[in-house]
Coordinates of all heavy atoms in Angstrom, one line a residue:
N135 N -33.3 19.0 21.7 CA -33.5 19.2 20.2 C -32.2 19.0 19.4 O -32.2 19.3 18.2 CB -34.1 20.6 20.0 CG -35.4 20.8 20.6 OD1 -36.2 20.0 20.8 ND2 -35.6 22.1 21.0
T136 N -31.2 18.4 20.0 CA -29.9 18.3 19.3 C -29.5 16.9 19.2 O -30.0 16.0 19.9 CB -28.8 19.1 20.1 OG1 -28.6 18.4 21.4 CG2 -29.2 20.5 20.4
A137 N -28.5 16.7 18.3 CA -27.9 15.3 18.1 C -26.4 15.6 17.8 O -26.1 16.4 17.0 CB -28.6 14.6 16.9
D138 N -25.5 14.9 18.6 CA -24.1 15.1 18.4 C -23.7 14.3 17.2 O -23.8 13.0 17.2 CB -23.4 14.6 19.7 CG -21.9 15.1 19.7 OD1 -21.3 15.0 18.6 OD2 -21.4 15.4 20.8
V139 N -23.2 14.9 16.2 CA -22.6 14.2 15.0 C -21.2 14.4 14.8 O -20.7 14.3 13.7 CB -23.5 14.7 13.7 CG1 -24.9 14.3 13.8 CG2 -23.3 16.2 13.5
T140 N -20.5 14.6 15.8 CA -19.0 14.9 15.8 C -18.4 13.7 15.1 O -17.5 13.9 14.2 CB -18.4 15.0 17.2 OG1 -19.0 16.2 17.8 CG2 -16.9 15.2 17.1
E141 N -18.7 12.5 15.4 CA -18.0 11.3 14.7 C -18.3 11.3 13.3 O -17.4 11.0 12.5 CB -18.4 10.0 15.4 CG -17.9 9.8 16.8 CD -18.2 8.4 17.4 OE1 -18.7 7.6 16.6 OE2 -18.0 8.2 18.6
L142 N -19.5 11.6 12.8 CA -19.8 11.6 11.4 C -19.0 12.7 10.7 O -18.6 12.4 9.6 CB -21.3 11.8 11.2 CG -22.2 10.6 11.6 CD1 -23.7 11.1 11.4 CD2 -21.9 9.4 10.8
I143 N -18.9 13.8 11.4 CA -18.1 14.9 10.7 C -16.7 14.5 10.6 O -16.0 14.7 9.5 CB -18.3 16.2 11.5 CG1 -19.7 16.7 11.4 CG2 -17.3 17.3 11.1 CD1 -20.1 17.9 12.3
L144 N -16.1 14.0 11.7 CA -14.7 13.6 11.6 C -14.4 12.6 10.6 O -13.3 12.5 9.9 CB -14.2 13.2 13.0 CG -14.3 14.2 14.1 CD1 -13.7 13.5 15.4 CD2 -13.5 15.4 13.7
E145 N -15.3 11.6 10.3 CA -15.1 10.5 9.4 C -15.4 11.0 8.0 O -14.8 10.4 7.0 CB -16.1 9.4 9.7 CG -15.7 8.7 11.0 CD -16.8 7.6 11.3 OE1 -17.6 7.3 10.4 OE2 -16.7 7.1 12.4
N146 N -16.2 12.1 7.8 CA -16.6 12.4 6.4 C -16.3 13.7 5.9 O -16.2 14.0 4.7 CB -18.2 12.2 6.2 CG -18.6 10.7 6.4 OD1 -18.6 10.0 5.5 ND2 -18.9 10.3 7.6
V147 N -16.0 14.7 6.8 CA -15.6 16.0 6.4 C -14.1 16.1 6.4 O -13.5 16.6 7.4 CB -16.3 17.1 7.2 CG1 -15.9 18.5 6.8 CG2 -17.8 16.9 7.1
K148 N -13.5 15.6 5.4 CA -12.0 15.5 5.3 C -11.5 16.5 4.3 O -12.2 17.2 3.7 CB -11.5 14.1 4.9 CG -12.0 13.0 5.8 CD -11.2 13.0 7.2 CE -11.6 11.8 7.9 NZ -10.9 11.8 9.2
L149 N -10.2 16.7 4.3 CA -9.6 17.6 3.3 C -9.9 17.1 1.9 O -10.1 15.9 1.6 CB -8.0 17.5 3.4 CG -7.4 18.0 4.7 CD1 -5.9 17.9 4.6 CD2 -7.7 19.5 4.9

Side-chain angles (χ1 to χ4, degrees):
N135 299 331
T136 67
D138 193 321
V139 295
T140 300
E141 290 188 9
L142 289 177
I143 290 173
L144 296 185
E145 292 175 10
N146 294 275
V147 182
K148 302 287 187 180
L149 295 179

